[in-house]
Amino acid sequence: MGEEVSLTDYESSGGNDDRLLWEVGLPDVDDLTPLNMQLIPSELASAFRISPEMSKTMTDVNRASQNTFSSLQRWHSQDMASMNNSNFKTFSYERSREETVTERDETDLIREGSDPRKLRRVESGGTEEADSSLCNENFADDSSAKTLKRPRLVWTPQLHKRFIEVVAHLGIKGAVPKTIMQLMNVEGLTRENVASHLQKYRLYTKRMQPNEGPSSSDHLLTSTPATESMRESSESGHLRNTNGHMAMPTLMPYQPQMVAMPMMGMPNGGHVGMPVGYGGGPPLGFHHHYNMVQQRDWSGNNFGYYHPVASNDK
DNA sequence: TCACGAATAT
DNA sequence: CATATTCGTG
């Protein structure tokens, strides 16, 4: 459950700390049941033949924590490569799957940690932000970051959803990589990542406009380029800021979480939200095929690689 | 110099 | 396919 939180803030760049957010509403330390406390009375336990190993010592607890941490940190580093065989990877990967399937929606959009390029984030406007959190880089060890190649980003349904939401709320006009990236506020996400995804998105988007109506199929396919009616429906005007940061806690016009997407494994049925601001009668979310094998679907599941950890979200 | 985005490359 | 990278352009 919430283990993914922010241990990975290697450098939370644009984001403001999520930690605060995560802390809000959480029980106080003393409100929590001590981890080393027995949850089941021994009599009861024995009655149900529950493991006799229930009482844990603080040491045990700590050890467990350590493990958790390590697994969360596993990425960084090329070591990943070396220790690759790792069960770590597999481990968390599988877990994410389970969790994802269930229903958690936003919560974790994220991505891994290391990050090569993002050192330069502060640009126009921003004065504040950055710095403070930037330096973190927990494991300064291996040079890390820059120079390192990060694993390919996998656009999980969550990420994609975020993406769609943001794009939808910026007009066609404001939907450019940098801005999108900023609004998504996902740790580790780079502009390139977004640009690439956006390119594909636009592609699908276009491919759907010209209505499939193969009407006069054969010839003349390119004839109807028209469809030019673009207009951004939503006045994207506000929140744009366009430049550094704007952390974002305040804006986000859209509701960040409306969970429950009906579309999960449906074949060609539902579509994800479509961009409200995209050309006239926008195409809907694209998704591809149906087959749950191992494909990813723009509308739903993907069983991908590492599923990042999370942070983000206002 | 930087960011876009189309074209290419993995 | 899905992503990443390159590269001409504004």
Side-chain angles (χ1 to χ4, degrees), chain A residues 16 162 182-183 185 245-252 313-314:
Chain A
N16 14 25
R162 260 289 245 254
Q182 286 167 163
L183 284 176
N185 188 37
H245 153 282
M246 81 188 305
M248 70 142 277
T250 13
L251 30 64
M252 276 328 195
D313 199 351
K314 48 92 282 10

Side-chain angles (χ1 to χ4, degrees), chain A residues 128-182:
Chain A
E128 11 96 353
E129 63 146 336
D131 49 83
S132 43
S133 33
L134 253 276
C135 24
N136 205 318
E137 207 74 323
N138 306 340
F139 345 93
D141 48 313
D142 39 288
S143 60
S144 49
K146 12 193 147 200
T147 324
L148 247 180
K149 260 185 30 190
R150 12 170 124 206
R152 292 180 81 172
L153 169 63
V154 174
W155 284 86
T156 62
Q158 280 80 9
L159 270 178
H160 180 63
K161 190 184 171 200
R162 260 289 245 254
F163 172 85
I164 295 297
E165 291 170 340
V166 172
V167 169
H169 287 109
L170 293 171
I172 199 175
K173 194 169 137 185
V176 298
K178 197 185 178 188
T179 309
I180 295 174
M181 174 192 122
Q182 286 167 163

Side-chain angles (χ1 to χ4, degrees), chain A residues 212-270:
Chain A
E212 50 289 285
S215 37
S216 31
S217 26
D218 355 307
H219 41 243
L220 274 256
L221 12 145
T222 37
S223 55
T224 19
T227 343
E228 215 12 291
S229 57
M230 51 212 340
R231 55 142 39 37
E232 27 197 318
S233 39
S234 56
E235 45 264 69
S236 35
H238 347 22
L239 56 126
R240 105 116 62 49
N241 163 334
T242 306
N243 55 11
H245 153 282
M246 81 188 305
M248 70 142 277
T250 13
L251 30 64
M252 276 328 195
Y254 56 90
Q255 296 210 265
Q257 62 343 40
M258 23 187 348
V259 196
M261 305 252 271
M263 50 48 147
M264 248 317 219
M266 64 341 177
N268 44 17

Side-chain angles (χ1 to χ4, degrees), chain A residues 19-200:
Chain A
R19 270 164 291 176
L20 290 176
L21 294 170
W22 282 96
E23 284 171 15
V24 177
L26 290 177
D28 223 275
V29 181
D30 11 64
D31 291 334
L32 296 170
T33 300
L35 288 172
N36 57 345
M37 179 201 251
Q38 280 193 194
L39 296 176
I40 305 177
S42 26
E43 307 82 37
L44 201 57
S46 52
F48 288 78
R49 288 154 46 194
I50 293 178
S51 70
E53 58 89 359
M54 20 185 148
S55 49
K56 311 244 186 203
T57 67
M58 273 314 277
T59 323
D60 290 323
V61 175
N62 287 330
R63 185 149 39 72
S65 295
Q66 285 290 92
N67 291 332
T68 302
F69 270 76
S70 343
S71 63
L72 283 174
Q73 297 179 171
R74 75 198 124 106
W75 280 299
H76 192 49
S77 44
Q78 41 232 106
D79 330 333
M80 199 164 105
S82 42
M83 67 165 296
N84 201 326
N85 26 0
S86 77
N87 358 358
F88 269 157
K89 192 175 189 172
T90 313
F91 164 74
S92 54
Y93 166 105
E94 305 229 341
R95 286 181 96 262
S96 336
R97 291 178 65 165
E98 319 176 1
E99 295 177 8
T100 300
V101 176
T102 347
E103 42 64 296
R104 62 118 73 19
D105 204 52
E106 313 257 330
T107 345
D108 55 73
L109 311 174
I110 304 318
R111 177 211 218 310
E112 21 111 65
S114 44
D115 69 25
R117 47 247 290 197
K118 25 197 311 236
L119 197 64
R120 53 105 156 102
R121 232 178 190 327
V122 197
E123 36 206 304
S124 32
T127 333
E128 11 96 353
E129 63 146 336
D131 49 83
S132 43
S133 33
L134 253 276
C135 24
N136 205 318
E137 207 74 323
N138 306 340
F139 345 93
D141 48 313
D142 39 288
S143 60
S144 49
K146 12 193 147 200
T147 324
L148 247 180
K149 260 185 30 190
R150 12 170 124 206
R152 292 180 81 172
L153 169 63
V154 174
W155 284 86
T156 62
Q158 280 80 9
L159 270 178
H160 180 63
K161 190 184 171 200
R162 260 289 245 254
F163 172 85
I164 295 297
E165 291 170 340
V166 172
V167 169
H169 287 109
L170 293 171
I172 199 175
K173 194 169 137 185
V176 298
K178 197 185 178 188
T179 309
I180 295 174
M181 174 192 122
Q182 286 167 163
L183 284 176
M184 283 178 75
N185 188 37
V186 172
E187 178 176 322
L189 190 69
T190 67
R191 190 170 58 76
E192 285 78 23
N193 290 146
V194 176
S196 185
H197 197 63
L198 183 61
Q199 187 178 19
K200 206 212 335 187

